[in-house]
Amino acid sequence: MHDDLITRCITAAAAAIHANKERLTALDQAIGDGDHGINMARGMAALEDKRADIAALPFSEACRQAGMTLVMSVGGASGPLFGSCLMGFGGAVDDFPASQDQTAAMLQGGVEAVKKRGKSDAGAKTLLDVLVPLLRLLEDAPDVSPAHVRESAARFARDTEGMVATKGRAAFLGARSVGHIDPGAQSAALIVGAVCDALEAGQ
Ligand code: ADP
Ligand code: MG
């Protein structure tokens, strides 16, 4: 059962990144080096290539393999960061989460892995500014719907516009990074939204 869900999640996440590649690149042109769309699209293409093999694995191993694939295929900070997140998912749960508690536990594993890899935390204008508030939402609000998760993730990404970057290339801009959405946060929101779509379609 879970292999079908994994396949759909990879397909949906890749489609969302491919469709927004230019936008992600434009966001990174504003506060970074302009490669984020290319980096994420390359990682998603590698995941699509390995989709069948990954989907056939036990869930935690599938997460680890998907994460390794991103780490190996993507140049730039985002490959190791998004890859660590997936590997953290795999370390936190054995099976596809069957409850909101398990989803939160999985996300917690991903968040810890990204924090460690990036020597970072929420508030630095990165993908953690989507992942950490999302974790809080899952921990605090009962019975959160996929639609609410998708909308919240999109809002958390938009909220990075007002933040000062203190990690990654954007940190070189200091206060001049304000007024721009963080590209990694935008990618995280797109992927979360795509996974919500895939889960809704499977219900
Ligand atoms: P690079 O910065 O190497 O060009 P990308 O452009 O692909 O890589 O990714 C940039 C994104 O990575 C940023 O928008 C931010 O979300 C995330 N990022 C960069 N450095 C860190 C860090 N130390 N901790 C967490 N996230 C980071
Ligand atoms: Mg970049």
Side-chain angles (χ1 to χ4, degrees):
M1 197 278 271
H2 83 248
D3 56 332
D4 188 37
L5 275 174
I6 293 174
T7 302
R8 279 209 307 275
C9 288
I10 292 176
T11 304
I17 293 295
H18 292 315
N20 287 278
K21 183 178 165 185
E22 307 305 327
R23 171 145 186 267
L24 295 170
T25 287
L27 292 176
D28 199 33
Q29 275 163 352
I31 58 170
D33 58 356
D35 63 354
H36 186 67
I38 295 162
N39 287 343
M40 294 300 292
R42 184 178 298 128
M44 291 298 140
L47 274 187
E48 287 177 291
D49 282 349
K50 294 197 178 169
R51 179 173 41 203
D53 291 343
I54 290 171
L57 295 168
F59 182 71
S60 61
E61 192 53 32
C63 291
R64 287 199 191 90
Q65 280 298 324
M68 285 296 291
T69 301
L70 290 187
V71 172
M72 308 287 278
S73 62
V74 180
S78 52
L81 289 163
F82 281 86
S84 297
C85 186
L86 285 171
M87 291 192 274
F89 289 172
V93 290
D94 289 331
D95 298 313
F96 201 97
S99 67
Q100 189 172 315
D101 280 355
Q102 287 172 14
T103 306
M106 184 179 87
L107 185 55
Q108 166 101 50
V111 162
E112 292 309 323
V114 176
K115 283 184 180 177
K116 202 170 162 194
R117 187 78 187 218
K119 298 186 178 57
S120 187
D121 207 333
K125 194 178 176 107
T126 73
L127 66 155
L128 284 169
D129 290 303
V130 169
L131 300 180
V132 171
L134 207 53
L135 175 58
R136 265 186 232 124
L137 178 76
L138 292 178
E139 285 174 342
D140 294 348
D143 296 328
V144 181
S145 68
H148 187 47
V149 168
R150 181 172 44 232
E151 283 154 26
S152 300
R155 177 163 48 83
F156 298 145
R158 283 198 300 277
D159 287 348
T160 64
E161 191 170 349
M163 302 174 97
V164 177
T166 55
K167 291 285 177 185
R169 289 178 198 279
F172 294 120
L173 293 179
R176 281 182 293 134
S177 63
V178 175
H180 304 279
I181 291 172
D182 175 64
Q186 186 61 67
S187 283
L190 286 167
I191 292 170
V192 167
V195 168
C196 289
D197 291 345
L199 295 179
E200 276 177 330
Q203 275 171 1

mmCIF file with all atom_site columns, all heavy atoms in Angstrom, residues 67-92:
data_model
loop_
_atom_site.group_PDB
_atom_site.id
_atom_site.type_symbol
_atom_site.label_atom_id
_atom_site.label_alt_id
_atom_site.label_comp_id
_atom_site.label_asym_id
_atom_site.label_entity_id
_atom_site.label_seq_id
_atom_site.pdbx_PDB_ins_code
_atom_site.Cartn_x
_atom_site.Cartn_y
_atom_site.Cartn_z
_atom_site.occupancy
_atom_site.B_iso_or_equiv
_atom_site.pdbx_formal_charge
_atom_site.auth_seq_id
_atom_site.auth_comp_id
_atom_site.auth_asym_id
_atom_site.auth_atom_id
_atom_site.pdbx_PDB_model_num
ATOM 1   N N   . GLY A 1 67 ? 16.556 10.594 0.451  1.00 0.00 ? 67 GLY A N   1
ATOM 2   C CA  . GLY A 1 67 ? 17.426 11.647 0.984  1.00 0.00 ? 67 GLY A CA  1
ATOM 3   C C   . GLY A 1 67 ? 18.828 11.557 0.422  1.00 0.00 ? 67 GLY A C   1
ATOM 4   O O   . GLY A 1 67 ? 19.410 12.559 -0.004 1.00 0.00 ? 67 GLY A O   1
ATOM 5   N N   . MET A 1 68 ? 19.363 10.338 0.388  1.00 0.00 ? 68 MET A N   1
ATOM 6   C CA  . MET A 1 68 ? 20.710 10.139 -0.171 1.00 0.00 ? 68 MET A CA  1
ATOM 7   C C   . MET A 1 68 ? 20.754 10.574 -1.633 1.00 0.00 ? 68 MET A C   1
ATOM 8   O O   . MET A 1 68 ? 21.733 11.158 -2.096 1.00 0.00 ? 68 MET A O   1
ATOM 9   C CB  . MET A 1 68 ? 21.100 8.649  -0.105 1.00 0.00 ? 68 MET A CB  1
ATOM 10  C CG  . MET A 1 68 ? 21.475 8.159  1.264  1.00 0.00 ? 68 MET A CG  1
ATOM 11  S SD  . MET A 1 68 ? 22.954 8.956  1.892  1.00 0.00 ? 68 MET A SD  1
ATOM 12  C CE  . MET A 1 68 ? 24.162 8.248  0.788  1.00 0.00 ? 68 MET A CE  1
ATOM 13  N N   . THR A 1 69 ? 19.674 10.289 -2.348 1.00 0.00 ? 69 THR A N   1
ATOM 14  C CA  . THR A 1 69 ? 19.602 10.654 -3.769 1.00 0.00 ? 69 THR A CA  1
ATOM 15  C C   . THR A 1 69 ? 19.714 12.167 -3.930 1.00 0.00 ? 69 THR A C   1
ATOM 16  O O   . THR A 1 69 ? 20.432 12.665 -4.804 1.00 0.00 ? 69 THR A O   1
ATOM 17  C CB  . THR A 1 69 ? 18.279 10.131 -4.377 1.00 0.00 ? 69 THR A CB  1
ATOM 18  O OG1 . THR A 1 69 ? 18.251 8.717  -4.218 1.00 0.00 ? 69 THR A OG1 1
ATOM 19  C CG2 . THR A 1 69 ? 18.157 10.494 -5.848 1.00 0.00 ? 69 THR A CG2 1
ATOM 20  N N   . LEU A 1 70 ? 19.028 12.912 -3.057 1.00 0.00 ? 70 LEU A N   1
ATOM 21  C CA  . LEU A 1 70 ? 19.115 14.382 -3.139 1.00 0.00 ? 70 LEU A CA  1
ATOM 22  C C   . LEU A 1 70 ? 20.523 14.857 -2.776 1.00 0.00 ? 70 LEU A C   1
ATOM 23  O O   . LEU A 1 70 ? 21.087 15.728 -3.450 1.00 0.00 ? 70 LEU A O   1
ATOM 24  C CB  . LEU A 1 70 ? 18.099 15.038 -2.198 1.00 0.00 ? 70 LEU A CB  1
ATOM 25  C CG  . LEU A 1 70 ? 16.627 14.914 -2.563 1.00 0.00 ? 70 LEU A CG  1
ATOM 26  C CD1 . LEU A 1 70 ? 15.780 15.764 -1.626 1.00 0.00 ? 70 LEU A CD1 1
ATOM 27  C CD2 . LEU A 1 70 ? 16.370 15.326 -4.006 1.00 0.00 ? 70 LEU A CD2 1
ATOM 28  N N   . VAL A 1 71 ? 21.084 14.270 -1.721 1.00 0.00 ? 71 VAL A N   1
ATOM 29  C CA  . VAL A 1 71 ? 22.434 14.687 -1.295 1.00 0.00 ? 71 VAL A CA  1
ATOM 30  C C   . VAL A 1 71 ? 23.433 14.464 -2.430 1.00 0.00 ? 71 VAL A C   1
ATOM 31  O O   . VAL A 1 71 ? 24.267 15.323 -2.715 1.00 0.00 ? 71 VAL A O   1
ATOM 32  C CB  . VAL A 1 71 ? 22.876 13.906 -0.033 1.00 0.00 ? 71 VAL A CB  1
ATOM 33  C CG1 . VAL A 1 71 ? 24.332 14.196 0.299  1.00 0.00 ? 71 VAL A CG1 1
ATOM 34  C CG2 . VAL A 1 71 ? 21.992 14.262 1.161  1.00 0.00 ? 71 VAL A CG2 1
ATOM 35  N N   . MET A 1 72 ? 23.306 13.312 -3.101 1.00 0.00 ? 72 MET A N   1
ATOM 36  C CA  . MET A 1 72 ? 24.286 12.957 -4.139 1.00 0.00 ? 72 MET A CA  1
ATOM 37  C C   . MET A 1 72 ? 24.084 13.734 -5.437 1.00 0.00 ? 72 MET A C   1
ATOM 38  O O   . MET A 1 72 ? 25.033 13.959 -6.168 1.00 0.00 ? 72 MET A O   1
ATOM 39  C CB  . MET A 1 72 ? 24.191 11.460 -4.484 1.00 0.00 ? 72 MET A CB  1
ATOM 40  C CG  . MET A 1 72 ? 24.263 10.534 -3.307 1.00 0.00 ? 72 MET A CG  1
ATOM 41  S SD  . MET A 1 72 ? 25.907 10.425 -2.620 1.00 0.00 ? 72 MET A SD  1
ATOM 42  C CE  . MET A 1 72 ? 26.586 9.234  -3.738 1.00 0.00 ? 72 MET A CE  1
ATOM 43  N N   . SER A 1 73 ? 22.850 14.118 -5.738 1.00 0.00 ? 73 SER A N   1
ATOM 44  C CA  . SER A 1 73 ? 22.576 14.662 -7.066 1.00 0.00 ? 73 SER A CA  1
ATOM 45  C C   . SER A 1 73 ? 22.550 16.188 -7.120 1.00 0.00 ? 73 SER A C   1
ATOM 46  O O   . SER A 1 73 ? 22.673 16.771 -8.197 1.00 0.00 ? 73 SER A O   1
ATOM 47  C CB  . SER A 1 73 ? 21.241 14.116 -7.611 1.00 0.00 ? 73 SER A CB  1
ATOM 48  O OG  . SER A 1 73 ? 20.188 14.522 -6.773 1.00 0.00 ? 73 SER A OG  1
ATOM 49  N N   . VAL A 1 74 ? 22.386 16.835 -5.973 1.00 0.00 ? 74 VAL A N   1
ATOM 50  C CA  . VAL A 1 74 ? 22.205 18.285 -5.983 1.00 0.00 ? 74 VAL A CA  1
ATOM 51  C C   . VAL A 1 74 ? 23.460 19.001 -5.492 1.00 0.00 ? 74 VAL A C   1
ATOM 52  O O   . VAL A 1 74 ? 23.934 18.730 -4.391 1.00 0.00 ? 74 VAL A O   1
ATOM 53  C CB  . VAL A 1 74 ? 21.013 18.695 -5.078 1.00 0.00 ? 74 VAL A CB  1
ATOM 54  C CG1 . VAL A 1 74 ? 20.821 20.206 -5.099 1.00 0.00 ? 74 VAL A CG1 1
ATOM 55  C CG2 . VAL A 1 74 ? 19.756 17.982 -5.500 1.00 0.00 ? 74 VAL A CG2 1
ATOM 56  N N   . GLY A 1 75 ? 23.982 19.873 -6.318 1.00 0.00 ? 75 GLY A N   1
ATOM 57  C CA  . GLY A 1 75 ? 25.031 20.762 -5.837 1.00 0.00 ? 75 GLY A CA  1
ATOM 58  C C   . GLY A 1 75 ? 24.352 21.866 -5.048 1.00 0.00 ? 75 GLY A C   1
ATOM 59  O O   . GLY A 1 75 ? 23.151 22.075 -5.169 1.00 0.00 ? 75 GLY A O   1
ATOM 60  N N   . GLY A 1 76 ? 25.076 22.577 -4.230 1.00 0.00 ? 76 GLY A N   1
ATOM 61  C CA  . GLY A 1 76 ? 24.439 23.664 -3.478 1.00 0.00 ? 76 GLY A CA  1
ATOM 62  C C   . GLY A 1 76 ? 23.926 23.173 -2.142 1.00 0.00 ? 76 GLY A C   1
ATOM 63  O O   . GLY A 1 76 ? 23.809 21.970 -1.899 1.00 0.00 ? 76 GLY A O   1
ATOM 64  N N   . ALA A 1 77 ? 23.609 24.126 -1.293 1.00 0.00 ? 77 ALA A N   1
ATOM 65  C CA  . ALA A 1 77 ? 23.208 23.827 0.081  1.00 0.00 ? 77 ALA A CA  1
ATOM 66  C C   . ALA A 1 77 ? 21.923 23.010 0.137  1.00 0.00 ? 77 ALA A C   1
ATOM 67  O O   . ALA A 1 77 ? 21.743 22.185 1.031  1.00 0.00 ? 77 ALA A O   1
ATOM 68  C CB  . ALA A 1 77 ? 23.021 25.137 0.853  1.00 0.00 ? 77 ALA A CB  1
ATOM 69  N N   . SER A 1 78 ? 21.027 23.226 -0.820 1.00 0.00 ? 78 SER A N   1
ATOM 70  C CA  . SER A 1 78 ? 19.696 22.642 -0.684 1.00 0.00 ? 78 SER A CA  1
ATOM 71  C C   . SER A 1 78 ? 19.693 21.120 -0.770 1.00 0.00 ? 78 SER A C   1
ATOM 72  O O   . SER A 1 78 ? 18.855 20.485 -0.130 1.00 0.00 ? 78 SER A O   1
ATOM 73  C CB  . SER A 1 78 ? 18.732 23.248 -1.695 1.00 0.00 ? 78 SER A CB  1
ATOM 74  O OG  . SER A 1 78 ? 19.257 23.172 -2.984 1.00 0.00 ? 78 SER A OG  1
ATOM 75  N N   . GLY A 1 79 ? 20.609 20.510 -1.540 1.00 0.00 ? 79 GLY A N   1
ATOM 76  C CA  . GLY A 1 79 ? 20.631 19.049 -1.650 1.00 0.00 ? 79 GLY A CA  1
ATOM 77  C C   . GLY A 1 79 ? 20.876 18.400 -0.299 1.00 0.00 ? 79 GLY A C   1
ATOM 78  O O   . GLY A 1 79 ? 20.044 17.602 0.172  1.00 0.00 ? 79 GLY A O   1
ATOM 79  N N   . PRO A 1 80 ? 21.974 18.730 0.373  1.00 0.00 ? 80 PRO A N   1
ATOM 80  C CA  . PRO A 1 80 ? 22.218 18.162 1.700  1.00 0.00 ? 80 PRO A CA  1
ATOM 81  C C   . PRO A 1 80 ? 21.125 18.510 2.717  1.00 0.00 ? 80 PRO A C   1
ATOM 82  O O   . PRO A 1 80 ? 20.813 17.698 3.592  1.00 0.00 ? 80 PRO A O   1
ATOM 83  C CB  . PRO A 1 80 ? 23.558 18.800 2.113  1.00 0.00 ? 80 PRO A CB  1
ATOM 84  C CG  . PRO A 1 80 ? 24.230 19.102 0.819  1.00 0.00 ? 80 PRO A CG  1
ATOM 85  C CD  . PRO A 1 80 ? 23.140 19.444 -0.148 1.00 0.00 ? 80 PRO A CD  1
ATOM 86  N N   . LEU A 1 81 ? 20.518 19.699 2.599  1.00 0.00 ? 81 LEU A N   1
ATOM 87  C CA  . LEU A 1 81 ? 19.507 20.103 3.582  1.00 0.00 ? 81 LEU A CA  1
ATOM 88  C C   . LEU A 1 81 ? 18.197 19.344 3.382  1.00 0.00 ? 81 LEU A C   1
ATOM 89  O O   . LEU A 1 81 ? 17.673 18.741 4.317  1.00 0.00 ? 81 LEU A O   1
ATOM 90  C CB  . LEU A 1 81 ? 19.276 21.614 3.503  1.00 0.00 ? 81 LEU A CB  1
ATOM 91  C CG  . LEU A 1 81 ? 20.439 22.449 4.026  1.00 0.00 ? 81 LEU A CG  1
ATOM 92  C CD1 . LEU A 1 81 ? 20.329 23.889 3.545  1.00 0.00 ? 81 LEU A CD1 1
ATOM 93  C CD2 . LEU A 1 81 ? 20.521 22.396 5.543  1.00 0.00 ? 81 LEU A CD2 1
ATOM 94  N N   . PHE A 1 82 ? 17.663 19.358 2.172  1.00 0.00 ? 82 PHE A N   1
ATOM 95  C CA  . PHE A 1 82 ? 16.424 18.611 1.905  1.00 0.00 ? 82 PHE A CA  1
ATOM 96  C C   . PHE A 1 82 ? 16.687 17.110 2.035  1.00 0.00 ? 82 PHE A C   1
ATOM 97  O O   . PHE A 1 82 ? 15.824 16.352 2.495  1.00 0.00 ? 82 PHE A O   1
ATOM 98  C CB  . PHE A 1 82 ? 15.856 18.968 0.526  1.00 0.00 ? 82 PHE A CB  1
ATOM 99  C CG  . PHE A 1 82 ? 15.102 20.273 0.499  1.00 0.00 ? 82 PHE A CG  1
ATOM 100 C CD1 . PHE A 1 82 ? 15.769 21.475 0.298  1.00 0.00 ? 82 PHE A CD1 1
ATOM 101 C CD2 . PHE A 1 82 ? 13.726 20.317 0.688  1.00 0.00 ? 82 PHE A CD2 1
ATOM 102 C CE1 . PHE A 1 82 ? 15.082 22.693 0.289  1.00 0.00 ? 82 PHE A CE1 1
ATOM 103 C CE2 . PHE A 1 82 ? 13.027 21.518 0.680  1.00 0.00 ? 82 PHE A CE2 1
ATOM 104 C CZ  . PHE A 1 82 ? 13.709 22.708 0.481  1.00 0.00 ? 82 PHE A CZ  1
ATOM 105 N N   . GLY A 1 83 ? 17.886 16.673 1.626  1.00 0.00 ? 83 GLY A N   1
ATOM 106 C CA  . GLY A 1 83 ? 18.245 15.267 1.758  1.00 0.00 ? 83 GLY A CA  1
ATOM 107 C C   . GLY A 1 83 ? 18.294 14.840 3.218  1.00 0.00 ? 83 GLY A C   1
ATOM 108 O O   . GLY A 1 83 ? 17.782 13.781 3.588  1.00 0.00 ? 83 GLY A O   1
ATOM 109 N N   . SER A 1 84 ? 18.902 15.670 4.069  1.00 0.00 ? 84 SER A N   1
ATOM 110 C CA  . SER A 1 84 ? 18.957 15.359 5.499  1.00 0.00 ? 84 SER A CA  1
ATOM 111 C C   . SER A 1 84 ? 17.562 15.284 6.092  1.00 0.00 ? 84 SER A C   1
ATOM 112 O O   . SER A 1 84 ? 17.288 14.455 6.969  1.00 0.00 ? 84 SER A O   1
ATOM 113 C CB  . SER A 1 84 ? 19.734 16.437 6.267  1.00 0.00 ? 84 SER A CB  1
ATOM 114 O OG  . SER A 1 84 ? 21.053 16.468 5.842  1.00 0.00 ? 84 SER A OG  1
ATOM 115 N N   . CYS A 1 85 ? 16.697 16.149 5.625  1.00 0.00 ? 85 CYS A N   1
ATOM 116 C CA  . CYS A 1 85 ? 15.318 16.147 6.120  1.00 0.00 ? 85 CYS A CA  1
ATOM 117 C C   . CYS A 1 85 ? 14.674 14.785 5.850  1.00 0.00 ? 85 CYS A C   1
ATOM 118 O O   . CYS A 1 85 ? 14.109 14.159 6.749  1.00 0.00 ? 85 CYS A O   1
ATOM 119 C CB  . CYS A 1 85 ? 14.526 17.273 5.429  1.00 0.00 ? 85 CYS A CB  1
ATOM 120 S SG  . CYS A 1 85 ? 12.874 17.470 6.104  1.00 0.00 ? 85 CYS A SG  1
ATOM 121 N N   . LEU A 1 86 ? 14.809 14.302 4.614  1.00 0.00 ? 86 LEU A N   1
ATOM 122 C CA  . LEU A 1 86 ? 14.225 12.997 4.275  1.00 0.00 ? 86 LEU A CA  1
ATOM 123 C C   . LEU A 1 86 ? 14.881 11.879 5.081  1.00 0.00 ? 86 LEU A C   1
ATOM 124 O O   . LEU A 1 86 ? 14.203 10.963 5.555  1.00 0.00 ? 86 LEU A O   1
ATOM 125 C CB  . LEU A 1 86 ? 14.384 12.726 2.773  1.00 0.00 ? 86 LEU A CB  1
ATOM 126 C CG  . LEU A 1 86 ? 13.431 13.507 1.867  1.00 0.00 ? 86 LEU A CG  1
ATOM 127 C CD1 . LEU A 1 86 ? 13.830 13.338 0.407  1.00 0.00 ? 86 LEU A CD1 1
ATOM 128 C CD2 . LEU A 1 86 ? 11.996 13.020 2.067  1.00 0.00 ? 86 LEU A CD2 1
ATOM 129 N N   . MET A 1 87 ? 16.183 11.944 5.251  1.00 0.00 ? 87 MET A N   1
ATOM 130 C CA  . MET A 1 87 ? 16.866 10.909 6.041  1.00 0.00 ? 87 MET A CA  1
ATOM 131 C C   . MET A 1 87 ? 16.406 10.968 7.499  1.00 0.00 ? 87 MET A C   1
ATOM 132 O O   . MET A 1 87 ? 16.261 9.930  8.144  1.00 0.00 ? 87 MET A O   1
ATOM 133 C CB  . MET A 1 87 ? 18.377 11.053 5.911  1.00 0.00 ? 87 MET A CB  1
ATOM 134 C CG  . MET A 1 87 ? 18.846 10.684 4.507  1.00 0.00 ? 87 MET A CG  1
ATOM 135 S SD  . MET A 1 87 ? 20.639 10.501 4.384  1.00 0.00 ? 87 MET A SD  1
ATOM 136 C CE  . MET A 1 87 ? 21.121 12.167 4.078  1.00 0.00 ? 87 MET A CE  1
ATOM 137 N N   . GLY A 1 88 ? 16.159 12.174 7.976  1.00 0.00 ? 88 GLY A N   1
ATOM 138 C CA  . GLY A 1 88 ? 15.628 12.329 9.340  1.00 0.00 ? 88 GLY A CA  1
ATOM 139 C C   . GLY A 1 88 ? 14.236 11.726 9.471  1.00 0.00 ? 88 GLY A C   1
ATOM 140 O O   . GLY A 1 88 ? 13.903 11.127 10.500 1.00 0.00 ? 88 GLY A O   1
ATOM 141 N N   . PHE A 1 89 ? 13.421 11.858 8.420  1.00 0.00 ? 89 PHE A N   1
ATOM 142 C CA  . PHE A 1 89 ? 12.096 11.208 8.421  1.00 0.00 ? 89 PHE A CA  1
ATOM 143 C C   . PHE A 1 89 ? 12.280 9.699  8.621  1.00 0.00 ? 89 PHE A C   1
ATOM 144 O O   . PHE A 1 89 ? 11.609 9.069  9.437  1.00 0.00 ? 89 PHE A O   1
ATOM 145 C CB  . PHE A 1 89 ? 11.369 11.399 7.081  1.00 0.00 ? 89 PHE A CB  1
ATOM 146 C CG  . PHE A 1 89 ? 10.870 12.795 6.801  1.00 0.00 ? 89 PHE A CG  1
ATOM 147 C CD1 . PHE A 1 89 ? 10.343 13.104 5.543  1.00 0.00 ? 89 PHE A CD1 1
ATOM 148 C CD2 . PHE A 1 89 ? 10.900 13.790 7.760  1.00 0.00 ? 89 PHE A CD2 1
ATOM 149 C CE1 . PHE A 1 89 ? 9.873  14.372 5.258  1.00 0.00 ? 89 PHE A CE1 1
ATOM 150 C CE2 . PHE A 1 89 ? 10.424 15.070 7.486  1.00 0.00 ? 89 PHE A CE2 1
ATOM 151 C CZ  . PHE A 1 89 ? 9.915  15.354 6.225  1.00 0.00 ? 89 PHE A CZ  1
ATOM 152 N N   . GLY A 1 90 ? 13.208 9.143  7.825  1.00 0.00 ? 90 GLY A N   1
ATOM 153 C CA  . GLY A 1 90 ? 13.422 7.691  7.853  1.00 0.00 ? 90 GLY A CA  1
ATOM 154 C C   . GLY A 1 90 ? 13.926 7.206  9.200  1.00 0.00 ? 90 GLY A C   1
ATOM 155 O O   . GLY A 1 90 ? 13.635 6.078  9.612  1.00 0.00 ? 90 GLY A O   1
ATOM 156 N N   . GLY A 1 91 ? 14.674 8.062  9.892  1.00 0.00 ? 91 GLY A N   1
ATOM 157 C CA  . GLY A 1 91 ? 15.192 7.674  11.200 1.00 0.00 ? 91 GLY A CA  1
ATOM 158 C C   . GLY A 1 91 ? 14.141 7.763  12.291 1.00 0.00 ? 91 GLY A C   1
ATOM 159 O O   . GLY A 1 91 ? 14.296 7.177  13.362 1.00 0.00 ? 91 GLY A O   1
ATOM 160 N N   . ALA A 1 92 ? 13.066 8.497  12.019 1.00 0.00 ? 92 ALA A N   1
ATOM 161 C CA  . ALA A 1 92 ? 12.078 8.764  13.078 1.00 0.00 ? 92 ALA A CA  1
ATOM 162 C C   . ALA A 1 92 ? 10.896 7.798  13.070 1.00 0.00 ? 92 ALA A C   1
ATOM 163 O O   . ALA A 1 92 ? 10.280 7.588  14.113 1.00 0.00 ? 92 ALA A O   1
ATOM 164 C CB  . ALA A 1 92 ? 11.565 10.200 12.961 1.00 0.00 ? 92 ALA A CB  1
#
